[in-house]
Amino acid sequence: MESLKERIVNNGRALNETVLKVDSFLNHQVDAKLMYEMGTYFKEYFKNHGITRILTIESSGIAPTVMTALQMNLPMVILKKQQSKILNGEVYQTTVHSFTKVMDYELTLSKNYISSDDKILIIDDFLANGEAALGAARLVEMAGAKVAGIGIVIEKSFQVGRKKLDEKGYDVYSLARISKLGKDLIEFID
Amino acid sequence: MESLKERIVNNGRALNETVLKVDSFLNHQVDAKLMYEMGTYFKEYFKNHGITRILTIESSGIAPTVMTALQMNLPMVILKKQQSKILNGEVYQTTVHSFTKVMDYELTLSKNYISSDDKILIIDDFLANGEAALGAARLVEMAGAKVAGIGIVIEKSFQVGRKKLDEKGYDVYSLARISKLGKDLIEFID
């Protein structure tokens, strides 16, 4: 997605070899038109995958995901991050480790909003170590549903997440793939 | 907004005299078309208020807000909730008490994404005690900007939030105003 790459180059900021700040248009301030355009790209790629429902993880994935759900005319579900474990029969839960925040959290999905017939598209803002996406996929599979695709806004291809998702056989589509970051350096794949 | 009231009646669930669960279309599962329609209503009400930027609070406010920002062609900013206080010169921060979760959190806004010229629309999913909306308004005013309006998806009019915002002189527009909740009882104003 060329317009996204341009925004990353013009408004993103590489702090070091792993951290890319995009809080001027994606994580803190949000460009709604750009989010809508992301939805158009995700719809185009996944339109023949038989998707029945879209999942995302709070909170930076919500804006691009709701724009995708609008254009694909599908329900979306926001997976909640909870720091304390609330176990009851009404939810699926899995523990996810955040390398960025150096903490664990519980990713939670109500059993009311997924069924074993579902073909799920998972959308998230960043793919780095892949722990969040893999956690979302575990919830889908706990429900007996199928992960029909994973859509990522910005993939840091030099980290292990993409490889882990590929090895699981998931169909991963990233709008921008970054091969290298460094102080004031951003390089893309392709 | 009649379609929202219908959804609340048909798919919402009053657990007791204060708690309304709407996680089938707003808080957990999200109906993107309904969010878009909310944006149309907010735009219609606030179109002549000279709004320059829209703020919301993570994470349930994001979906209706990004749909409003899209239709009003304005930037939006997601105020972050942080449990630990990170004080530095680059952000405005204020402490908000959540009566629901019985905890305090720090609402945070980068100084990069607001200016003293801004006329701000604040949008949130629920208005109950008003603490979150008042916290957002404090951040706006710390920046020397103006709160030009407050848009609420569901107002629990029997709680004190609406009164507090009215007393401050804010222009509050709520898509649905609930006068009374009880076990399996939901009553609206009008």
Side-chain angles (χ1 to χ4, degrees), chain A residues 15-35:
Chain A
L15 298 189
N16 54 45
E17 289 173 13
T18 54
V19 179
L20 174 66
K21 282 197 70 139
V22 287
D23 62 359
S24 65
F25 61 91
L26 180 59
N27 294 133
H28 187 27
Q29 184 166 250
V30 177
D31 181 332
K33 277 195 192 305
L34 188 69
M35 301 300 120

Side-chain angles (χ1 to χ4, degrees), chain B residues 74-93:
Chain B
L74 290 173
M76 71 178 265
V77 179
I78 300 167
L79 301 178
K80 302 287 180 178
K81 290 177 182 173
Q82 298 183 327
Q83 280 182 292
S84 60
K85 206 156 192 161
I86 302 162
L87 284 175
N88 65 50
E90 295 173 7
V91 298
Y92 298 109
Q93 257 186 349

Side-chain angles (χ1 to χ4, degrees), chain A residues 21-33 35-36 53 58-60 62-63 65-67 69-70 73-80 83 90 108-110 112-113, chain B residues 21-33 35-36 53 58-60 62-63 65-67 69-70 73-80 83 90 108-110 112-113:
Chain A
K21 282 197 70 139
V22 287
D23 62 359
S24 65
F25 61 91
L26 180 59
N27 294 133
H28 187 27
Q29 184 166 250
V30 177
D31 181 332
K33 277 195 192 305
M35 301 300 120
Y36 188 89
R53 200 181 298 260
E58 62 178 350
S59 63
S60 298
I62 297 172
T65 305
V66 72
M67 291 302 183
L70 181 74
N73 197 21
L74 290 172
M76 71 178 266
V77 178
I78 300 167
L79 302 178
K80 301 288 180 178
Q83 281 181 294
E90 294 173 9
T108 303
L109 168 62
S110 165
N112 291 331
Y113 306 124
Chain B
K21 281 197 71 137
V22 286
D23 62 359
S24 65
F25 60 92
L26 180 59
N27 293 134
H28 187 25
Q29 184 165 252
V30 177
D31 180 333
K33 277 195 192 303
M35 300 300 120
Y36 188 89
R53 199 181 298 261
E58 64 180 349
S59 63
S60 298
I62 297 173
T65 305
V66 72
M67 291 302 183
L70 181 74
N73 197 20
L74 290 173
M76 71 178 265
V77 179
I78 300 167
L79 301 178
K80 302 287 180 178
Q83 280 182 292
E90 295 173 7
T108 303
L109 168 62
S110 165
N112 291 329
Y113 307 124

